[in-house]
Amino acid sequence: MSSCCSPGRPCTGGSRGTTEFLALPTKRTTGRHVPALPMAELPGGTFRMGDHFDEGHPADREGPVREVTVAPFAIDTTAVTNAQYARFVEATGHRTDAERYGSSYVFHLLLHPAAEPHVLGRVANAPWWLGVEGAAWHSPEGPGSDLEGRADHPVVHISHDDATAYCDWAGLRLPTEAEWEYAARGGLDGARYPWGDELTPDGREMCNIWQGAFPHRSDRPGGRTGTVPVTAHQPNGHGLHNVAGNVWEWCSDAFAAPSLPAGPVERIIRGGSYLCHDSYCNRYRVAARSHNTPDSSTGHGGFRCARTLTGDLPA
């Protein structure tokens, strides 16, 4: 299994004992058929990538800090929303990995009451994650839940393969990890967060992360947890919203580590989620990273898209 922050499917297959990975369905249509999400066009250049404060988990391999150069590119200013993903599904008939495997992971406090009979089990090293039959992007808390009032929230229960399928349809791609961090830093050199070094400057809440005693009590009004609208917090210096907290976001890069078992190549995820808390996981820092298998999906996993721009790198 992958990191406790983002549980993954076993390398041997799905929750029902499947021993092979299913091919993506043939897409009926291609090309973007809905207005594109706003994108920030960035000039590229050289920046210092990595953990400047030595606060990362060693296994995440955030360091050392190094200079990295990225070419000009554009990136969505928000994560892809439920509304956008619904239009993609309507146009293509795409079935997500969660739907084809028959289950996905739901945070225990978010489980819909009607989904209780559909719980397949808990993740051994992260028992706050439940394997739930029928959990998918359109039923994010399991059977009985829906997307009412959440059209502008980030789509979740999306695997790397699902995100790639959306990008192919839209004529876009997933960002590289270096592009993601360059964009998330918002022009700040070496800052801890996309807005600076303080988590709550002047007492302002800048991102959607856990408040309370993780993982059993949320101190938000009414005990609320989960996603918020993709533009819920102010953007960083490049105009990107919620690159800290809310949902993990897939990147195109593989995660290479000698300790990983044989199996499908794991892919990088960035940004942390609404479950991050400094008592357990401080991966809402701009340098933080994690990884998961490409067919894995969770109730806090989404993505944003990028595209290449032509032009010379700045001098």
Side-chain angles (χ1 to χ4, degrees):
M1 307 290 280
S2 299
S3 165
C4 298
C5 286
S6 190
R9 300 190 190 281
C11 289
T12 54
S15 62
R16 290 301 190 187
T18 305
T19 56
E20 62 182 8
F21 294 96
L22 305 177
L24 288 171
T26 301
K27 295 183 281 291
R28 294 199 299 263
T29 59
T30 58
R32 183 175 287 277
H33 297 278
V34 294
L37 291 171
M39 300 190 88
E41 295 191 354
L42 304 180
T46 300
F47 75 106
R48 294 194 299 155
M49 182 175 180
D51 176 17
H52 291 69
F53 298 89
D54 195 25
E55 296 173 329
H57 302 266
D60 290 348
R61 305 173 72 187
E62 295 179 19
V65 174
R66 64 277 188 198
E67 289 192 347
V68 175
T69 300
V70 295
F73 69 102
I75 188 168
D76 286 343
T77 58
T78 71
V80 173
T81 65
N82 286 314
Q84 289 290 124
Y85 205 79
R87 290 166 183 152
F88 157 64
V89 170
E90 181 180 7
T92 65
H94 179 81
R95 294 183 67 234
T96 61
D97 280 324
E99 291 170 293
R100 289 180 285 132
Y101 277 113
S103 67
S104 190
Y105 293 103
V106 176
F107 182 62
H108 71 127
L109 295 185
L110 290 175
L111 183 71
H112 193 278
E116 291 181 3
H118 301 275
V119 174
L120 301 172
R122 293 178 180 267
V123 175
N125 57 352
W128 48 88
W129 281 112
L130 307 177
V132 180
E133 189 174 31
W137 73 273
H138 48 71
S139 304
E141 289 84 43
S145 64
D146 56 37
L147 299 177
E148 183 177 358
R150 291 186 279 186
D152 60 349
H153 285 226
V155 65
V156 294
H157 294 290
I158 298 300
S159 71
H160 186 274
D161 296 337
D162 299 327
T164 299
Y166 177 97
C167 289
D168 289 345
W169 168 77
L172 301 170
R173 59 176 175 80
L174 290 175
T176 67
E177 183 178 19
E179 288 173 337
W180 191 97
E181 186 169 324
Y182 173 91
R185 288 192 173 279
L188 299 180
D189 178 33
R192 180 179 281 114
Y193 306 114
W195 54 85
D197 291 337
E198 295 183 34
L199 180 60
T200 55
D202 299 321
R204 289 177 293 147
E205 182 178 337
M206 304 294 290
C207 61
N208 178 29
I209 57 176
W210 186 268
Q211 294 184 18
F214 183 84
H216 301 296
R217 189 193 76 243
S218 169
D219 287 346
R220 293 186 179 277
R224 178 185 64 80
T225 187
T227 60
V228 296
V230 294
T231 56
H233 297 92
Q234 70 181 60
N236 70 1
H238 288 326
L240 276 65
H241 295 267
N242 293 326
V243 282
N246 216 22
V247 294
W248 284 101
E249 299 179 4
W250 289 106
C251 293
S252 61
D253 305 55
F255 181 84
S259 61
L260 289 177
V265 175
E266 298 207 353
R267 298 289 176 172
I268 298 293
I269 51 175
R270 297 297 302 258
S273 80
Y274 58 81
L275 296 181
C276 286
H277 188 264
D278 61 7
S279 68
Y280 177 75
C281 165
N282 66 345
R283 291 188 176 98
Y284 45 87
R285 296 168 297 104
V286 74
R289 64 203 297 259
S290 192
H291 53 94
N292 212 338
T293 54
D295 61 345
S296 293
S297 59
T298 65
H300 68 346
F303 70 106
R304 73 180 70 209
C305 304
R307 62 180 170 86
T308 302
L309 298 176
T310 59
D312 296 329
L313 286 170

